[in-house]
Amino acid sequence: MGTKNWPLWEIFVRSKNGLEHRHFGSLHAADAEMALENARDVYTRRNEGVSIWVVESKNITASNPEHNGEMFEPAQDKVYRHPTFYDLPDDVKHM
Amino acid sequence: MSEEQIKNLEEQFEARIARDEKIEPKDWMPEKYRQTHIRQISQHAHSEIVGMLPEGNWITRAPSLRRKVALLAKVQDEAGHGLYLYSACETLGISRDVLYEQLHSGKAKYSSIFNYPTVTWADMGAIGWLVDGAAIINQVPLCSTSFGPYARAMVRVCKEESFHQRQGYEIMLKLCNGTPEQKEMAQDALNRWWWPSLMMLGPTDDASVHTEQSMKWKLKRKTNDELRQQFIDQTVPQADILGLTIPDPDLKWNEERGSYDFGEIDWDEFWQVVKGHGPCNKERMKARVGAWERGEWVRDAAMAYAEKQQERKEKQAV
Ligand SMILES: [Fe+2]
Ligand SMILES: [Fe+2]
């Protein structure tokens, strides 16, 4: 058995300019540079990307789905954040 | 958590899946769901990895540069598929080295088709055409399975598989339009790969233990027998175009069913291979474990280098 295992990295790829980087998956690599090279080979063999971000998985803090209630419900009753909340006569155009 | 609470959670969980909601790694899930998925996704990953070996056998002996780059790219894709699937599996809380350990120790299974030898170049054609063909039929329904990371990995895999099958069929086509010896070679490959390919779709429905639960979790959308029938119905006309004969004397079109009837599958052979007594089980594991062990110093060196670079950076920062 090897002394230490390669850490896990999360891979984000921008498919083309104008689009955001999107999470593509993860992979193991010894360091960031190798993670980039491996990501190129694993996730962009068919021109799926023009830019790659790698982040070591342990550096990501994720919200806990069990707390989704207190986390996301407060936005649910804020209907006044949506344009349809406002009553306007039909003859008002371009609004 | 009380038993009552767990039961409640389980009901909510099943209802979410029934509503076609996806399950993501950090969501609560029944232990059985986690274990079943670890088993299935890792078996799938192992199959992709071991599946490189029979074809890797022919890369250096491909008959032309065109064939060689195609085969190389195909085998590289299979490595990629293995990696997508391992990383999907790891989101369930199992580490990569435990997964490798399970493969290398023989505890984990992989698709038994890869325990058959690749003795001629035509086997590259038959594998792409039939083995990848059967794999596609197994995999397409998984693109909408309930576990998010698995479904996403399968979408990517399925996009890549169609080239695999086409390159295999093209090899067969070329051989079938070649000399009588070449055509014979293609027929021989079909003869050897046909039945193991049918077995790839899994045991018959009455012998399959997991089907009902798997249907609920969308690990399966059609039964093994349905998938097998689909494979046969779509493959027979392809064999006709090649001018090859499917090695099954009982194969015939059933007008009423709108499907082909086919002969008895030798399930004893299937179980023998699954249990480790196929023609190449030992050879495959030896190659796989050997590659892993011979690569150890490289993995260690890369890690040592990374740590050294990190230390250097930290020192410079002071
Ligand atoms: Fe594959
Ligand atoms: Fe494939």
Side-chain angles (χ1 to χ4, degrees):
Chain A
M1 257 283 120
T3 36
K4 253 187 206 157
N5 295 308
W6 289 357
L8 190 65
W9 300 76
E10 300 301 321
I11 311 303
F12 300 83
V13 177
R14 184 201 295 288
S15 347
K16 61 176 189 191
N17 277 4
L19 295 178
E20 59 279 74
H21 285 76
R22 199 163 57 80
H23 185 240
F24 262 45
S26 55
L27 51 75
H28 290 268
D31 56 24
E33 234 168 289
M34 189 196 280
L36 274 176
E37 284 165 10
N38 289 358
R40 195 261 325 257
D41 292 340
V42 176
Y43 292 107
T44 64
R45 287 194 301 285
R46 289 177 178 78
N47 287 313
E48 289 94 336
V50 294
S51 160
I52 302 176
W53 290 349
V54 299
V55 183
E56 203 177 330
S57 310
K58 67 170 192 209
N59 293 326
I60 290 184
T61 308
S63 65
N64 181 346
E66 271 161 44
H67 303 154
N68 273 8
E70 59 223 71
M71 190 82 170
F72 301 112
E73 268 163 28
Q76 263 170 26
D77 57 3
K78 311 239 173 348
V79 279
Y80 46 84
R81 285 177 177 163
H82 299 276
T84 45
F85 178 75
Y86 300 91
D87 291 324
L88 267 64
D90 286 346
D91 39 340
V92 180
K93 300 292 178 207
H94 306 297
M95 207 180 275
Chain B
M1 233 183 292
S2 75
E3 234 167 85
E4 176 105 355
Q5 280 171 309
I6 292 181
K7 207 169 154 255
N8 229 326
L9 281 172
E10 273 175 11
E11 271 164 23
Q12 285 171 23
F13 180 85
E14 299 294 345
R16 285 180 62 195
I17 294 182
R19 282 196 303 270
D20 259 334
E21 274 181 40
K22 297 288 180 202
I23 306 303
E24 294 297 341
K26 282 184 175 294
D27 294 348
W28 183 87
M29 60 184 78
E31 202 40 37
K32 193 166 170 228
Y33 181 91
R34 185 183 301 277
Q35 294 311 328
T36 303
H37 278 75
I38 288 178
R39 197 186 57 234
Q40 171 156 341
I41 300 171
S42 65
Q43 269 181 23
H44 196 161
H46 299 328
S47 301
E48 303 283 356
I49 296 300
V50 178
M52 288 190 281
L53 296 169
E55 288 177 296
N57 185 31
W58 281 91
I59 290 173
T60 56
R61 289 173 288 161
S64 69
L65 186 58
R66 184 177 187 276
R67 295 289 175 215
K68 187 171 181 156
V69 291
L71 185 59
L72 203 49
K74 195 239 186 215
V75 171
Q76 194 188 5
D77 272 356
E78 306 301 3
H81 297 175
L83 294 176
Y84 307 155
L85 287 161
Y86 279 131
S87 71
C89 195
E90 284 174 86
T91 65
L92 289 163
I94 187 163
S95 73
R96 181 74 60 94
D97 22 301
V98 171
L99 292 170
Y100 283 161
E101 207 321 276
Q102 291 176 347
L103 173 65
H104 297 164
S105 67
K107 193 177 157 230
K109 299 262 173 279
Y110 55 87
S111 181
S112 61
I113 191 92
F114 302 119
N115 291 314
Y116 289 86
T118 46
V119 294
T120 73
W121 170 251
D123 290 357
M124 298 304 97
I127 288 182
W129 174 34
L130 301 171
V131 176
D132 289 82
I136 291 171
I137 287 192
N138 266 331
Q139 288 169 343
V140 167
L142 289 172
C143 294
S144 54
T145 192
S146 65
F147 185 54
Y150 194 26
R152 292 192 287 275
M154 291 321 298
V155 168
R156 201 164 295 133
V157 166
C158 286
K159 259 190 217 155
E160 299 181 351
E161 286 294 348
S162 114
F163 133 64
H164 298 179
Q165 197 187 16
R166 290 174 68 102
Q167 69 89 35
Y169 192 76
E170 198 195 73
I171 290 172
M172 294 303 267
L173 205 56
K174 196 84 182 174
L175 289 170
C176 289
N177 292 326
T179 64
E181 287 84 357
Q182 286 172 325
K183 185 159 186 193
E184 210 175 288
M185 200 195 261
Q187 180 66 56
D188 167 65
L190 171 59
N191 293 349
R192 284 179 292 107
W193 291 97
W194 175 253
W195 293 103
S197 299
L198 295 191
M199 295 174 197
M200 268 183 83
L201 286 316
T204 52
D205 295 347
D206 44 310
S208 176
V209 266
H210 303 300
T211 300
E212 203 188 325
Q213 180 70 83
S214 299
M215 290 274 186
K216 249 208 219 148
W217 289 340
K218 300 176 183 171
L219 278 168
K220 252 188 186 314
R221 319 218 83 169
K222 288 182 182 173
T223 70
N224 294 349
D225 288 336
E226 287 169 334
L227 294 173
R228 193 166 9 251
Q229 187 70 62
Q230 183 188 339
F231 175 73
I232 292 170
D233 290 346
Q234 75 180 42
T235 308
V236 174
Q238 296 166 354
D240 290 342
I241 291 174
L242 294 172
L244 295 178
T245 311
I246 303 274
D248 178 359
D250 296 322
L251 185 85
K252 68 168 192 295
W253 179 250
N254 182 326
E255 194 63 62
E256 218 171 287
R257 290 200 306 124
S259 269
Y260 284 90
D261 291 335
F262 55 97
E264 198 67 48
I265 293 170
D266 182 358
W267 290 109
D268 285 344
E269 175 183 322
F270 175 76
W271 291 114
Q272 281 302 312
V273 182
V274 169
K275 282 178 194 141
H277 311 301
C280 299
N281 295 57
K282 289 207 182 73
E283 191 184 324
R284 298 291 181 242
M285 267 311 100
K286 199 173 151 223
R288 171 63 205 155
V289 174
W292 179 248
E293 285 173 353
R294 286 192 304 277
E296 184 175 321
W297 71 271
V298 179
R299 295 192 299 278
D300 288 348
M303 206 58 228
Y305 175 77
E307 280 168 351
K308 213 162 141 191
Q309 292 296 102
Q310 188 61 33
E311 272 167 34
R312 194 168 295 167
K313 225 191 261 167
E314 276 159 21
K315 244 182 237 156
Q316 272 168 5
V318 184

